[in-house]
Amino acid sequence: MTGKTLAERILSEKSNTDARAGDYVEAEVDAMLTHDVTGPLTFEVFRGVTDGDGPLADPENTVITIDHHAPADGVQAANNHNAVRDFAAEFGAVQFDVGDGICHQLLVEHGFAEPGDLVVGADSHSTTFGGLGAFGTGVGSTDLGTAMATGDLWFRVPDSVRFEVEGTLPDGVYAKDLILRFIGDVGFDGATYRAAEYGGSAVQDLPIHERLVLSNMAIEMGGKAGLVEPDERTARFLARQTGRTESSFDVSLAPDDDADYAAVHTYDAADLAPQVSKPSNPENAVDVDAVAGTPVDQLFVGTCTNGRYEDVRVVADILDGETLAPGTRMVVVPASKAIYRRMLDTGVFDTFVDAGAIVQSAGCGPCFGTHDGVLGDGDVCLATANRNFPGREGSMDSSVYLASPATVGASALYGEITDPRTVETTRYDDDVVTPAEAQP
Amino acid sequence: MSDVRDPVTPGRAWTFGDDVDTDQIIPSRFLVSSDPADLGAHAFADHRPDFAEGVEPGDFVVAGENFGSGSSREHAPVALRGAGVSGVVARSFARIFFRNAINIGLPLLVCPDADRIADGDEVHLDLGDGRVVDHTTGETHDADPLPDFLQSLVDQGGLEPYTRRKLGHTDD
């Protein structure tokens, strides 16, 4: 019998079985997540399976956010927000409100995901928690509504595909470029029913905020999870977030040397260039050279992929003292209120406003395609987002290109897709904001 | 949903290509409702505007690779059921869509020959043997039967009844 992958290890532990790829197991869930879009359907299922009475199996680890239509863009959305508030109050769930931020960022900031945890969310980007070594995965409302009642859920143990990156990433090349390249290489369905596992010296060198980017977009190749092996950096990050000691986090989780992978893809970091995914599929990743010069109308900085403080900071560094290219507009949406506060405290907010950008309250923003910067016919947007499906951010006749914050920042100066290696860029270590810092 | 017809009853095929994502099945702006009929009225609103108007109870969706990719929104399979779709046949499915469809009782078949079925063909599904029968061409296409675990979940009425029994509700 071969050794185990990270996915097999976590699901073995959580199901008290010797879980192997292909097995079906029932596993205990550590945290559960739903939001203003998937919530109402989830509540219906939860009430249905509990005869309306509840209780939640684990209220302290059941989190409901208001982030997708936030602030409300219409009466129906506002009513859904009230449904979230009423449900959370009735059953004692943890609830975040308008302006608090995006679900995935809030779970990370508030310590709901730890190495080795199993976290399920009624949102496909719940793979994000893999950046901390947690098995995070997206499910539907029926799955989540039943898990909220029982505390467990069935899983097919996935095969794993390994991405190994050795060496040092060149200046101007970030985790976003890595994941766009991976998706480009294996395809939009290249990891369907599988867990993506990321390793190698370049991945282990990544700060946590960049590891979260790799994991967040695992779903864009169909992945069930996107996992990075935890280490001391993970413990340090979580200690800062939670106020607990580093030693209280078990970061010993690792795949066995003889773990069996469905495929292994290896990269030399030095060979990698900044990437851009062309419309209308994340798999259309090309070196930035191939699309440099493409005119853009809107630049969008934000989302659960790249709306963290370090991301907006990279863009602000490039824009500092400059203004947006004529004819362009920039929408900046921090991923959480803590990040918003930090932007105010450090002057990053001013940099954006002085450059001519619009900074909005924390949330999903135009990535959800319903408010706060949707695109019209013929509009071209360059976004730090994770999806560029047809009509994703508005009109079916608009187009979205995906890139790193550095590429978006450089492009804002010229009004066309621009290689970030032509400007000065910084790679930030984790400089995260703790929830306490978010208080004025 | 009593108006949903059994997939053994023939219905028309509505064909789609590869990588049909959940934003295309039900665009974000309609996700303020969870009602199957509301959602069904807007299925494929931007991607194939003639669908919601022309689909009839008992029709089928037939697609290529990676159907239902993207978002976890369960509204996508709910919209198809709400539109009266009796089942979905595809060369492959995205993971969360597949799981959501099983959970809400929307029949699915993975069929390598799905692209041999033409738009408007009369088809029916044979879930037990894993086959799609095309009455227009007279062809029968083999499909993958569901794995045992999922078949047993379906046989028990889906995840909700299964969970109610697990929680000790004996009225099911």
Side-chain angles (χ1 to χ4, degrees):
Chain A
M1 203 60 150
T2 57
K4 291 185 179 179
T5 63
L6 288 169
E8 288 170 325
R9 280 221 166 281
I10 296 172
L11 289 173
S12 292
E13 173 80 17
K14 293 299 168 188
S15 64
N16 287 313
T17 64
D18 178 27
R20 300 285 180 168
D23 291 350
Y24 286 85
V25 298
E26 284 200 311
E28 196 179 325
V29 173
D30 293 290
M32 290 159 265
L33 157 72
T34 184
H35 51 58
D36 53 323
V37 172
T38 56
L41 204 48
T42 304
F43 307 151
E44 218 174 278
V45 171
F46 175 79
R47 289 195 166 101
V49 296
T50 64
D51 283 342
D53 300 335
L56 291 170
D58 188 3
E60 289 178 3
N61 290 298
T62 302
V63 183
I64 314 171
T65 60
I66 298 176
D67 50 9
H68 278 63
H69 286 284
D73 56 349
V75 173
Q76 279 180 294
N79 287 338
N80 287 340
H81 293 183
N82 287 337
V84 166
R85 296 180 186 112
D86 291 347
F87 181 89
E90 182 177 354
F91 295 103
V94 179
Q95 191 231 312
F96 291 96
D97 219 296
V98 173
D100 284 337
I102 307 176
C103 52
H104 309 299
Q105 180 63 16
L106 290 168
L107 260 68
V108 169
E109 286 181 5
H110 291 266
F112 285 100
E114 293 183 25
D117 276 0
L118 176 58
V119 182
V120 294
D123 187 289
S124 61
H125 291 107
S126 301
T127 52
T128 304
F129 314 115
L132 298 169
F135 190 99
T137 193
V139 296
S141 292
T142 298
D143 277 320
L144 198 75
T146 61
M148 279 163 48
T150 63
D152 61 13
L153 194 59
W154 68 269
F155 296 89
R156 179 186 166 279
V157 181
D159 293 325
S160 291
V161 54
R162 182 102 184 154
F163 294 88
E164 288 273 342
V165 191
E166 297 295 342
T168 304
L169 289 174
D171 283 349
V173 178
Y174 296 82
K176 181 61 163 289
D177 302 300
L178 281 182
I179 186 65
L180 291 179
R181 187 66 262 143
F182 298 162
I183 296 163
D185 288 347
V186 305
F188 189 42
D189 61 353
T192 300
Y193 300 106
R194 291 178 171 165
E197 296 192 9
Y198 311 109
S201 58
V203 170
Q204 285 301 317
D205 282 348
L206 289 175
I208 301 301
H209 65 90
E210 290 203 66
R211 296 182 192 180
L212 295 168
V213 177
L214 295 183
S215 297
N216 174 273
M217 288 191 69
I219 182 65
E220 261 58 69
M221 47 182 158
K224 182 169 190 162
L227 294 156
V228 182
E229 192 178 319
D231 57 14
E232 303 73 40
R233 202 192 289 260
T234 316
R236 204 155 59 233
F237 177 94
L238 287 168
R240 283 176 68 167
Q241 295 299 310
T242 60
R244 289 163 50 189
T245 60
E246 286 181 33
S247 59
S248 66
F249 298 97
D250 178 4
V251 292
S252 62
L253 177 73
D256 290 323
D257 291 339
D258 61 343
D260 191 17
Y261 294 102
V264 178
H265 302 273
T266 55
Y267 295 84
D268 182 344
D271 294 342
L272 293 163
Q275 300 291 305
V276 176
S277 278
K278 299 187 291 184
S280 301
N281 191 308
E283 76 176 8
N284 297 336
V286 294
D287 286 1
V288 64
D289 297 352
V291 287
T294 304
V296 296
D297 302 295
Q298 177 158 305
L299 301 122
F300 170 34
V301 181
T303 78
C304 56
T305 310
N306 277 122
R308 300 189 179 80
Y309 178 73
E310 297 80 1
D311 298 319
V312 297
R313 179 70 191 265
V314 163
V315 181
D317 288 348
I318 296 169
L319 287 179
D320 191 21
E322 308 280 348
T323 53
L324 300 178
T328 63
R329 54 198 185 264
M330 176 182 274
V331 176
V332 182
V333 190
S336 74
K337 185 182 276 184
I339 297 164
Y340 189 95
R341 162 53 57 193
R342 186 67 178 269
M343 290 170 69
L344 288 167
D345 290 346
T346 57
V348 162
F349 199 107
D350 297 302
T351 302
F352 281 120
V353 173
D354 291 345
I358 299 155
V359 186
Q360 296 173 175
S361 58
C364 298
C367 183
F368 189 57
T370 61
H371 68 139
D372 278 1
V374 297
L375 303 172
D377 298 343
D379 280 347
V380 176
C381 179
L382 180 65
T384 65
N386 42 49
R387 292 191 171 140
N388 54 354
F389 301 155
R392 172 76 180 180
E393 288 185 28
S395 165
M396 286 293 282
D397 293 323
S398 62
S399 25
V400 178
Y401 292 76
L402 306 176
S404 76
T407 302
V408 171
S411 302
L413 295 179
Y414 299 100
E416 56 185 44
I417 295 177
T418 302
D419 189 333
R421 292 170 300 188
T422 62
V423 302
E424 196 177 323
T425 53
T426 309
R427 155 160 282 113
Y428 285 100
D429 201 346
D430 293 312
D431 189 20
V432 292
V433 196
T434 61
E437 276 183 75
Q439 306 306 320
Chain B
M1 276 171 264
S2 56
D3 59 334
V4 174
R5 295 197 191 171
D6 201 287
V8 298
T9 308
R12 274 182 313 159
W14 292 76
T15 61
F16 296 84
D18 294 341
D19 293 332
V20 174
D21 63 69
T22 49
D23 286 57
Q24 290 171 39
I25 299 171
I26 184 76
S28 300
R29 64 184 181 279
F30 302 115
L31 300 186
V32 286
S33 171
S34 306
D35 179 70
D38 278 358
L39 293 167
H42 301 296
F44 298 111
D46 299 327
H47 188 60
R48 188 166 179 185
D50 61 325
F51 179 83
E53 203 146 295
V55 68
E56 287 174 13
D59 285 355
F60 293 87
V61 166
V62 177
E65 304 276 359
N66 202 25
F67 185 81
S69 44
S71 161
S72 68
R73 61 188 69 165
E74 195 165 297
H75 308 69
V78 170
L80 298 185
R81 284 212 77 158
V85 168
S86 283
V88 185
V89 177
R91 285 166 57 84
S92 66
F93 289 94
R95 187 185 63 81
I96 309 176
F97 180 90
F98 186 86
R99 190 172 172 130
N100 285 344
I102 296 286
N103 283 343
I104 68 159
L106 175 68
L108 300 179
L109 278 180
V110 175
C111 175
D113 291 336
D115 51 1
R116 294 175 59 87
I117 298 165
D119 205 56
D121 281 4
E122 286 280 320
V123 298
H124 85 263
L125 308 189
D126 179 343
L127 295 175
D129 290 336
R131 291 186 311 190
V132 188
V133 180
D134 187 330
H135 298 269
T136 305
T137 63
E139 288 183 314
T140 296
H141 304 293
D142 287 337
D144 302 340
L146 282 182
D148 290 346
F149 178 87
L150 294 183
Q151 189 58 56
S152 105
L153 206 56
V154 171
D155 291 345
Q156 293 175 68
L159 189 61
E160 286 190 59
Y162 172 85
T163 304
R164 284 180 60 79
R165 271 193 293 277
K166 197 156 112 179
L167 289 168
H169 297 293
T170 51
D171 53 301
D172 296 300

